[in-house]
Amino acid sequence: RSGWLNVKRQHSDERGAALLTVLLLVAVLAVLAAHGIDRLMAATRLASNARDLGQARAYLVAAENIALHSAGDIVGASPGRTTNAAGWNGREVRYPVTGGSIAASLSDGGNCFNLNSVVLQEQAVFFPRPIGQRQFVALLTMLQIPPADAETISASLTDWIDSDDQPEPYGAEDAHYLAREDPYRTASGPVTEISELRAIKGVSEVHYTRLKPWVCALPTSDLSPINVNTLRAEQGVLLAMLAGEAGNISAARTFLAQRPQSGYSSVNAFWTLPYLAAMKVPPEVQEQIQMNTRWFALNVSVTVGGAQAQESGLIDAQLTPARLVRRQWGDGW
């Protein structure tokens, strides 16, 4: 009888072990299934996001084409005199699209300090340009950046672009940057994006934040092509900058607020006005004032589903038809 009981107990143990094995298998399969579902859902989300981002970028290209036509129309509406008529300058326009929206704006892309104007280009060689350097120092100081820092930044920007390896007074060439913990060299060529300023000697995060709204990197070393027919009163610092250290921001803003609605007809007539005649700027500075706009800055933001895409671009409206000469994309989720 004891033998029979042992056999019965053994069979019972085997059935218990088998049941435990089955339960463990079910648990493992459940974990694997859950993991598989999670991966499937992640793959689905990635595919959906990729589709939305692709559509968003397609909308960016469409916005570019609209902007190119708009820039051409603005210039063509009044040849030789671009004004703020119809309020286009800096105004954001929104377009509803399937699954989202497009927000775009055009502004005068020449109403800024051209960082590349601190040098003068002769063929492929870049030389320091004192008048551009002085304008940059004037802008920096009017933005409440200490004069010593302003001199350092202007000189260092010049050295960043020019073709020689001799540092300007207070400036910095390769030797300065190669001695850093994270060494690098100067560009020895034009600035292509204003964020390059952050790599230049003397430019702190505070300085960069103050400068960012007022500077640009045009694909030319021409002095900043300020269009006084589109320059807004709040941008008076750019007009005051032309007078150098004698510039008065408040007076410049007041002057711009009194501008005729139709703008000024000629550069000569503009410089004969009492406020401007008192500046006594050299002929080279007088010639940098413009009555029409060549460069248009484009900013576009697209939201589609779960994707966002941004673009900033520069349009050359002097070309026929107008052409996008620079583009920078930035995407976010």
Side-chain angles (χ1 to χ4, degrees), residues 163-203:
S163 300
D164 64 41
D165 57 1
Q166 298 300 313
E168 295 277 297
Y170 310 110
E173 287 285 359
D174 284 347
H176 171 81
Y177 302 107
L178 290 174
R180 291 169 54 100
E181 186 175 331
D182 50 342
Y184 53 88
R185 294 181 181 276
T186 61
S188 296
V191 172
T192 58
E193 217 288 318
I194 64 172
S195 61
E196 286 184 48
L197 278 175
R198 302 173 74 174
I200 291 172
K201 176 188 174 185
V203 180

mmCIF file of all heavy atoms in Angstrom, residues 163-203:
data_model
loop_
_atom_site.group_PDB
_atom_site.id
_atom_site.type_symbol
_atom_site.label_atom_id
_atom_site.label_comp_id
_atom_site.label_asym_id
_atom_site.label_seq_id
_atom_site.Cartn_x
_atom_site.Cartn_y
_atom_site.Cartn_z
ATOM 1 N N SER A 163 41.750 87.155 -44.801
ATOM 2 C CA SER A 163 42.594 86.106 -45.387
ATOM 3 C C SER A 163 43.978 86.012 -44.769
ATOM 4 O O SER A 163 44.704 85.037 -45.030
ATOM 5 C CB SER A 163 42.741 86.361 -46.902
ATOM 6 O OG SER A 163 41.476 86.336 -47.535
ATOM 7 N N ASP A 164 44.379 87.005 -43.962
ATOM 8 C CA ASP A 164 45.728 86.954 -43.390
ATOM 9 C C ASP A 164 45.713 86.239 -42.038
ATOM 10 O O ASP A 164 44.668 85.855 -41.536
ATOM 11 C CB ASP A 164 46.328 88.358 -43.257
ATOM 12 C CG ASP A 164 45.546 89.230 -42.283
ATOM 13 O OD1 ASP A 164 45.124 88.725 -41.216
ATOM 14 O OD2 ASP A 164 45.331 90.423 -42.580
ATOM 15 N N ASP A 165 46.918 86.064 -41.474
ATOM 16 C CA ASP A 165 47.022 85.417 -40.160
ATOM 17 C C ASP A 165 47.589 86.368 -39.111
ATOM 18 O O ASP A 165 48.105 85.949 -38.080
ATOM 19 C CB ASP A 165 47.886 84.153 -40.245
ATOM 20 C CG ASP A 165 49.283 84.427 -40.773
ATOM 21 O OD1 ASP A 165 49.597 85.612 -41.060
ATOM 22 O OD2 ASP A 165 50.069 83.475 -40.892
ATOM 23 N N GLN A 166 47.490 87.677 -39.390
ATOM 24 C CA GLN A 166 47.955 88.689 -38.456
ATOM 25 C C GLN A 166 46.760 89.252 -37.690
ATOM 26 O O GLN A 166 45.876 89.861 -38.290
ATOM 27 C CB GLN A 166 48.667 89.824 -39.200
ATOM 28 C CG GLN A 166 49.907 89.375 -39.944
ATOM 29 C CD GLN A 166 50.943 88.766 -39.004
ATOM 30 O OE1 GLN A 166 51.241 89.351 -37.951
ATOM 31 N NE2 GLN A 166 51.489 87.623 -39.380
ATOM 32 N N PRO A 167 46.706 89.068 -36.376
ATOM 33 C CA PRO A 167 45.543 89.539 -35.624
ATOM 34 C C PRO A 167 45.444 91.061 -35.593
ATOM 35 O O PRO A 167 46.453 91.758 -35.513
ATOM 36 C CB PRO A 167 45.759 88.964 -34.225
ATOM 37 C CG PRO A 167 47.227 88.719 -34.133
ATOM 38 C CD PRO A 167 47.684 88.379 -35.513
ATOM 39 N N GLU A 168 44.217 91.543 -35.669
ATOM 40 C CA GLU A 168 43.933 92.960 -35.464
ATOM 41 C C GLU A 168 44.194 93.305 -33.992
ATOM 42 O O GLU A 168 44.159 92.407 -33.125
ATOM 43 C CB GLU A 168 42.462 93.249 -35.792
ATOM 44 C CG GLU A 168 42.068 93.053 -37.236
ATOM 45 C CD GLU A 168 42.401 94.280 -38.073
ATOM 46 O OE1 GLU A 168 41.839 95.359 -37.809
ATOM 47 O OE2 GLU A 168 43.235 94.138 -38.985
ATOM 48 N N PRO A 169 44.416 94.579 -33.667
ATOM 49 C CA PRO A 169 44.493 94.949 -32.244
ATOM 50 C C PRO A 169 43.214 94.499 -31.527
ATOM 51 O O PRO A 169 42.111 94.795 -31.992
ATOM 52 C CB PRO A 169 44.606 96.479 -32.298
ATOM 53 C CG PRO A 169 45.240 96.759 -33.617
ATOM 54 C CD PRO A 169 44.688 95.731 -34.552
ATOM 55 N N TYR A 170 43.369 93.757 -30.461
ATOM 56 C CA TYR A 170 42.278 93.168 -29.674
ATOM 57 C C TYR A 170 41.607 91.981 -30.366
ATOM 58 O O TYR A 170 40.659 91.404 -29.834
ATOM 59 C CB TYR A 170 41.195 94.215 -29.333
ATOM 60 C CG TYR A 170 41.708 95.485 -28.744
ATOM 61 C CD1 TYR A 170 41.661 96.668 -29.476
ATOM 62 C CD2 TYR A 170 42.266 95.505 -27.467
ATOM 63 C CE1 TYR A 170 42.153 97.851 -28.945
ATOM 64 C CE2 TYR A 170 42.753 96.700 -26.923
ATOM 65 C CZ TYR A 170 42.698 97.857 -27.676
ATOM 66 O OH TYR A 170 43.177 99.022 -27.155
ATOM 67 N N GLY A 171 42.095 91.616 -31.542
ATOM 68 C CA GLY A 171 41.474 90.520 -32.275
ATOM 69 C C GLY A 171 42.088 89.165 -31.962
ATOM 70 O O GLY A 171 42.808 89.006 -30.964
ATOM 71 N N ALA A 172 41.804 88.172 -32.819
ATOM 72 C CA ALA A 172 42.310 86.810 -32.587
ATOM 73 C C ALA A 172 42.343 86.035 -33.896
ATOM 74 O O ALA A 172 41.347 85.987 -34.628
ATOM 75 C CB ALA A 172 41.420 86.091 -31.576
ATOM 76 N N GLU A 173 43.492 85.426 -34.158
ATOM 77 C CA GLU A 173 43.633 84.525 -35.310
ATOM 78 C C GLU A 173 43.720 83.079 -34.806
ATOM 79 O O GLU A 173 43.422 82.802 -33.637
ATOM 80 C CB GLU A 173 44.867 84.921 -36.117
ATOM 81 C CG GLU A 173 44.706 86.199 -36.924
ATOM 82 C CD GLU A 173 43.853 86.026 -38.188
ATOM 83 O OE1 GLU A 173 43.395 84.879 -38.452
ATOM 84 O OE2 GLU A 173 43.645 87.021 -38.902
ATOM 85 N N ASP A 174 44.163 82.165 -35.658
ATOM 86 C CA ASP A 174 44.158 80.737 -35.335
ATOM 87 C C ASP A 174 44.853 80.417 -34.010
ATOM 88 O O ASP A 174 44.391 79.558 -33.248
ATOM 89 C CB ASP A 174 44.840 79.938 -36.458
ATOM 90 C CG ASP A 174 43.952 79.787 -37.683
ATOM 91 O OD1 ASP A 174 42.741 80.074 -37.565
ATOM 92 O OD2 ASP A 174 44.465 79.394 -38.730
ATOM 93 N N ALA A 175 45.968 81.092 -33.736
ATOM 94 C CA ALA A 175 46.750 80.768 -32.540
ATOM 95 C C ALA A 175 45.899 80.863 -31.273
ATOM 96 O O ALA A 175 46.045 80.048 -30.351
ATOM 97 C CB ALA A 175 47.956 81.690 -32.432
ATOM 98 N N HIS A 176 45.013 81.841 -31.224
ATOM 99 C CA HIS A 176 44.151 82.016 -30.044
ATOM 100 C C HIS A 176 43.203 80.833 -29.881
ATOM 101 O O HIS A 176 43.062 80.288 -28.782
ATOM 102 C CB HIS A 176 43.362 83.317 -30.170
ATOM 103 C CG HIS A 176 42.301 83.479 -29.116
ATOM 104 N ND1 HIS A 176 42.580 83.926 -27.846
ATOM 105 C CD2 HIS A 176 40.961 83.218 -29.150
ATOM 106 C CE1 HIS A 176 41.459 83.958 -27.139
ATOM 107 N NE2 HIS A 176 40.475 83.534 -27.905
ATOM 108 N N TYR A 177 42.576 80.435 -30.973
ATOM 109 C CA TYR A 177 41.563 79.375 -30.886
ATOM 110 C C TYR A 177 42.184 77.981 -30.757
ATOM 111 O O TYR A 177 41.602 77.105 -30.120
ATOM 112 C CB TYR A 177 40.644 79.433 -32.114
ATOM 113 C CG TYR A 177 39.957 80.773 -32.245
ATOM 114 C CD1 TYR A 177 40.341 81.690 -33.227
ATOM 115 C CD2 TYR A 177 38.933 81.137 -31.382
ATOM 116 C CE1 TYR A 177 39.713 82.926 -33.347
ATOM 117 C CE2 TYR A 177 38.295 82.374 -31.485
ATOM 118 C CZ TYR A 177 38.688 83.261 -32.468
ATOM 119 O OH TYR A 177 38.079 84.487 -32.571
ATOM 120 N N LEU A 178 43.366 77.804 -31.317
ATOM 121 C CA LEU A 178 44.021 76.504 -31.206
ATOM 122 C C LEU A 178 44.533 76.238 -29.793
ATOM 123 O O LEU A 178 44.788 75.084 -29.425
ATOM 124 C CB LEU A 178 45.185 76.417 -32.203
ATOM 125 C CG LEU A 178 44.773 76.324 -33.680
ATOM 126 C CD1 LEU A 178 46.002 76.401 -34.588
ATOM 127 C CD2 LEU A 178 44.012 75.026 -33.948
ATOM 128 N N ALA A 179 44.675 77.285 -28.994
ATOM 129 C CA ALA A 179 45.139 77.126 -27.612
ATOM 130 C C ALA A 179 43.996 76.783 -26.658
ATOM 131 O O ALA A 179 44.230 76.533 -25.478
ATOM 132 C CB ALA A 179 45.833 78.404 -27.146
ATOM 133 N N ARG A 180 42.779 76.749 -27.178
ATOM 134 C CA ARG A 180 41.631 76.430 -26.328
ATOM 135 C C ARG A 180 41.587 74.943 -25.978
ATOM 136 O O ARG A 180 42.249 74.112 -26.620
ATOM 137 C CB ARG A 180 40.327 76.813 -27.043
ATOM 138 C CG ARG A 180 40.116 78.312 -27.201
ATOM 139 C CD ARG A 180 38.947 78.593 -28.137
ATOM 140 N NE ARG A 180 37.751 77.889 -27.696
ATOM 141 C CZ ARG A 180 36.745 78.436 -27.010
ATOM 142 N NH1 ARG A 180 36.814 79.727 -26.686
ATOM 143 N NH2 ARG A 180 35.702 77.718 -26.655
ATOM 144 N N GLU A 181 40.791 74.622 -24.974
ATOM 145 C CA GLU A 181 40.639 73.216 -24.594
ATOM 146 C C GLU A 181 39.963 72.420 -25.709
ATOM 147 O O GLU A 181 40.247 71.236 -25.916
ATOM 148 C CB GLU A 181 39.804 73.133 -23.313
ATOM 149 C CG GLU A 181 39.702 71.735 -22.728
ATOM 150 C CD GLU A 181 38.974 71.732 -21.408
ATOM 151 O OE1 GLU A 181 39.025 72.758 -20.695
ATOM 152 O OE2 GLU A 181 38.346 70.702 -21.093
ATOM 153 N N ASP A 182 39.076 73.085 -26.449
ATOM 154 C CA ASP A 182 38.439 72.473 -27.613
ATOM 155 C C ASP A 182 38.871 73.260 -28.854
ATOM 156 O O ASP A 182 38.161 74.143 -29.325
ATOM 157 C CB ASP A 182 36.913 72.487 -27.476
ATOM 158 C CG ASP A 182 36.394 73.867 -27.111
ATOM 159 O OD1 ASP A 182 37.194 74.715 -26.639
ATOM 160 O OD2 ASP A 182 35.195 74.131 -27.336
ATOM 161 N N PRO A 183 40.062 72.984 -29.378
ATOM 162 C CA PRO A 183 40.661 73.837 -30.409
ATOM 163 C C PRO A 183 39.909 73.821 -31.746
ATOM 164 O O PRO A 183 39.299 72.823 -32.123
ATOM 165 C CB PRO A 183 42.066 73.242 -30.563
ATOM 166 C CG PRO A 183 41.937 71.832 -30.116
ATOM 167 C CD PRO A 183 40.912 71.830 -29.030
ATOM 168 N N TYR A 184 39.956 74.949 -32.429
ATOM 169 C CA TYR A 184 39.426 75.068 -33.789
ATOM 170 C C TYR A 184 40.114 76.247 -34.457
ATOM 171 O O TYR A 184 40.877 76.982 -33.820
ATOM 172 C CB TYR A 184 37.901 75.239 -33.793
ATOM 173 C CG TYR A 184 37.378 76.354 -32.919
ATOM 174 C CD1 TYR A 184 37.253 77.651 -33.405
ATOM 175 C CD2 TYR A 184 36.996 76.108 -31.595
ATOM 176 C CE1 TYR A 184 36.758 78.676 -32.611
ATOM 177 C CE2 TYR A 184 36.502 77.120 -30.782
ATOM 178 C CZ TYR A 184 36.382 78.405 -31.307
ATOM 179 O OH TYR A 184 35.892 79.410 -30.509
ATOM 180 N N ARG A 185 39.853 76.412 -35.748
ATOM 181 C CA ARG A 185 40.493 77.482 -36.510
ATOM 182 C C ARG A 185 39.464 78.533 -36.940
ATOM 183 O O ARG A 185 38.255 78.286 -36.875
ATOM 184 C CB ARG A 185 41.191 76.908 -37.763
ATOM 185 C CG ARG A 185 42.362 75.987 -37.456
ATOM 186 C CD ARG A 185 43.010 75.487 -38.742
ATOM 187 N NE ARG A 185 44.117 74.596 -38.486
ATOM 188 C CZ ARG A 185 45.364 74.998 -38.234
ATOM 189 N NH1 ARG A 185 45.657 76.286 -38.245
ATOM 190 N NH2 ARG A 185 46.319 74.115 -37.997
ATOM 191 N N THR A 186 39.960 79.662 -37.383
ATOM 192 C CA THR A 186 39.073 80.691 -37.936
ATOM 193 C C THR A 186 38.534 80.215 -39.283
ATOM 194 O O THR A 186 39.114 79.330 -39.920
ATOM 195 C CB THR A 186 39.814 82.018 -38.128
ATOM 196 O OG1 THR A 186 40.900 81.810 -39.045
ATOM 197 C CG2 THR A 186 40.362 82.531 -36.809
ATOM 198 N N ALA A 187 37.452 80.846 -39.725
ATOM 199 C CA ALA A 187 36.838 80.441 -40.996
ATOM 200 C C ALA A 187 37.666 80.886 -42.194
ATOM 201 O O ALA A 187 37.671 80.237 -43.237
ATOM 202 C CB ALA A 187 35.437 81.027 -41.097
ATOM 203 N N SER A 188 38.377 82.016 -42.056
ATOM 204 C CA SER A 188 39.130 82.607 -43.175
ATOM 205 C C SER A 188 38.252 82.760 -44.411
ATOM 206 O O SER A 188 38.666 82.507 -45.542
ATOM 207 C CB SER A 188 40.372 81.768 -43.505
ATOM 208 O OG SER A 188 41.272 81.784 -42.419
ATOM 209 N N GLY A 189 37.023 83.149 -44.182
ATOM 210 C CA GLY A 189 36.056 83.347 -45.247
ATOM 211 C C GLY A 189 34.783 83.934 -44.659
ATOM 212 O O GLY A 189 34.658 84.100 -43.442
ATOM 213 N N PRO A 190 33.816 84.267 -45.495
ATOM 214 C CA PRO A 190 32.605 84.938 -45.031
ATOM 215 C C PRO A 190 31.809 84.122 -44.013
ATOM 216 O O PRO A 190 31.819 82.890 -44.036
ATOM 217 C CB PRO A 190 31.785 85.121 -46.323
ATOM 218 C CG PRO A 190 32.781 85.022 -47.427
ATOM 219 C CD PRO A 190 33.828 84.079 -46.959
ATOM 220 N N VAL A 191 31.137 84.833 -43.136
ATOM 221 C CA VAL A 191 30.202 84.209 -42.203
ATOM 222 C C VAL A 191 28.969 83.785 -43.001
ATOM 223 O O VAL A 191 28.452 84.554 -43.820
ATOM 224 C CB VAL A 191 29.800 85.208 -41.098
ATOM 225 C CG1 VAL A 191 28.689 84.639 -40.225
ATOM 226 C CG2 VAL A 191 31.004 85.575 -40.262
ATOM 227 N N THR A 192 28.500 82.574 -42.789
ATOM 228 C CA THR A 192 27.315 82.098 -43.506
ATOM 229 C C THR A 192 26.088 81.995 -42.619
ATOM 230 O O THR A 192 24.966 81.907 -43.120
ATOM 231 C CB THR A 192 27.576 80.712 -44.141
ATOM 232 O OG1 THR A 192 27.945 79.787 -43.113
ATOM 233 C CG2 THR A 192 28.699 80.797 -45.166
ATOM 234 N N GLU A 193 26.297 81.998 -41.301
ATOM 235 C CA GLU A 193 25.178 81.893 -40.366
ATOM 236 C C GLU A 193 25.559 82.666 -39.103
ATOM 237 O O GLU A 193 26.669 82.537 -38.603
ATOM 238 C CB GLU A 193 24.917 80.413 -40.038
ATOM 239 C CG GLU A 193 23.447 80.042 -39.883
ATOM 240 C CD GLU A 193 22.839 80.599 -38.599
ATOM 241 O OE1 GLU A 193 23.517 80.544 -37.559
ATOM 242 O OE2 GLU A 193 21.687 81.093 -38.646
ATOM 243 N N ILE A 194 24.635 83.473 -38.595
ATOM 244 C CA ILE A 194 24.984 84.367 -37.493
ATOM 245 C C ILE A 194 25.413 83.618 -36.229
ATOM 246 O O ILE A 194 26.102 84.182 -35.384
ATOM 247 C CB ILE A 194 23.849 85.352 -37.162
ATOM 248 C CG1 ILE A 194 22.606 84.604 -36.673
ATOM 249 C CG2 ILE A 194 23.519 86.214 -38.366
ATOM 250 C CD1 ILE A 194 21.531 85.543 -36.149
ATOM 251 N N SER A 195 25.044 82.347 -36.105
ATOM 252 C CA SER A 195 25.450 81.583 -34.916
ATOM 253 C C SER A 195 26.963 81.404 -34.845
ATOM 254 O O SER A 195 27.494 81.058 -33.788
ATOM 255 C CB SER A 195 24.764 80.213 -34.895
ATOM 256 O OG SER A 195 25.121 79.446 -36.018
ATOM 257 N N GLU A 196 27.684 81.655 -35.948
ATOM 258 C CA GLU A 196 29.145 81.601 -35.922
ATOM 259 C C GLU A 196 29.719 82.597 -34.916
ATOM 260 O O GLU A 196 30.831 82.412 -34.413
ATOM 261 C CB GLU A 196 29.729 81.888 -37.314
ATOM 262 C CG GLU A 196 29.566 80.759 -38.313
ATOM 263 C CD GLU A 196 30.252 81.062 -39.634
ATOM 264 O OE1 GLU A 196 31.422 81.495 -39.610
ATOM 265 O OE2 GLU A 196 29.608 80.888 -40.685
ATOM 266 N N LEU A 197 28.970 83.648 -34.644
ATOM 267 C CA LEU A 197 29.436 84.644 -33.675
ATOM 268 C C LEU A 197 29.785 84.016 -32.333
ATOM 269 O O LEU A 197 30.673 84.488 -31.625
ATOM 270 C CB LEU A 197 28.353 85.710 -33.461
ATOM 271 C CG LEU A 197 28.264 86.845 -34.472
ATOM 272 C CD1 LEU A 197 27.057 87.714 -34.166
ATOM 273 C CD2 LEU A 197 29.547 87.680 -34.464
ATOM 274 N N ARG A 198 29.079 82.943 -31.983
ATOM 275 C CA ARG A 198 29.283 82.319 -30.675
ATOM 276 C C ARG A 198 30.668 81.698 -30.545
ATOM 277 O O ARG A 198 31.124 81.408 -29.439
ATOM 278 C CB ARG A 198 28.199 81.275 -30.436
ATOM 279 C CG ARG A 198 26.797 81.855 -30.509
ATOM 280 C CD ARG A 198 25.720 80.814 -30.434
ATOM 281 N NE ARG A 198 25.578 80.287 -29.086
ATOM 282 C CZ ARG A 198 24.624 79.450 -28.715
ATOM 283 N NH1 ARG A 198 23.719 79.044 -29.580
ATOM 284 N NH2 ARG A 198 24.566 79.019 -27.474
ATOM 285 N N ALA A 199 31.336 81.478 -31.682
ATOM 286 C CA ALA A 199 32.681 80.890 -31.641
ATOM 287 C C ALA A 199 33.772 81.950 -31.623
ATOM 288 O O ALA A 199 34.956 81.621 -31.536
ATOM 289 C CB ALA A 199 32.876 79.967 -32.851
ATOM 290 N N ILE A 200 33.396 83.222 -31.695
ATOM 291 C CA ILE A 200 34.368 84.292 -31.862
ATOM 292 C C ILE A 200 34.760 84.905 -30.514
ATOM 293 O O ILE A 200 33.926 85.089 -29.623
ATOM 294 C CB ILE A 200 33.785 85.369 -32.811
ATOM 295 C CG1 ILE A 200 33.696 84.771 -34.226
ATOM 296 C CG2 ILE A 200 34.636 86.624 -32.816
ATOM 297 C CD1 ILE A 200 32.975 85.644 -35.213
ATOM 298 N N LYS A 201 36.025 85.205 -30.380
ATOM 299 C CA LYS A 201 36.558 85.788 -29.147
ATOM 300 C C LYS A 201 35.738 87.006 -28.717
ATOM 301 O O LYS A 201 35.435 87.891 -29.523
ATOM 302 C CB LYS A 201 38.016 86.193 -29.371
ATOM 303 C CG LYS A 201 38.658 86.901 -28.175
ATOM 304 C CD LYS A 201 40.031 87.447 -28.551
ATOM 305 C CE LYS A 201 40.632 88.285 -27.425
ATOM 306 N NZ LYS A 201 41.908 88.909 -27.824
ATOM 307 N N GLY A 202 35.399 87.039 -27.438
ATOM 308 C CA GLY A 202 34.724 88.196 -26.870
ATOM 309 C C GLY A 202 33.214 88.126 -26.872
ATOM 310 O O GLY A 202 32.565 88.935 -26.215
ATOM 311 N N VAL A 203 32.646 87.176 -27.615
ATOM 312 C CA VAL A 203 31.188 87.088 -27.710
ATOM 313 C C VAL A 203 30.670 86.150 -26.621
ATOM 314 O O VAL A 203 30.825 84.929 -26.714
ATOM 315 C CB VAL A 203 30.729 86.592 -29.091
ATOM 316 C CG1 VAL A 203 29.203 86.512 -29.145
ATOM 317 C CG2 VAL A 203 31.254 87.519 -30.185
#
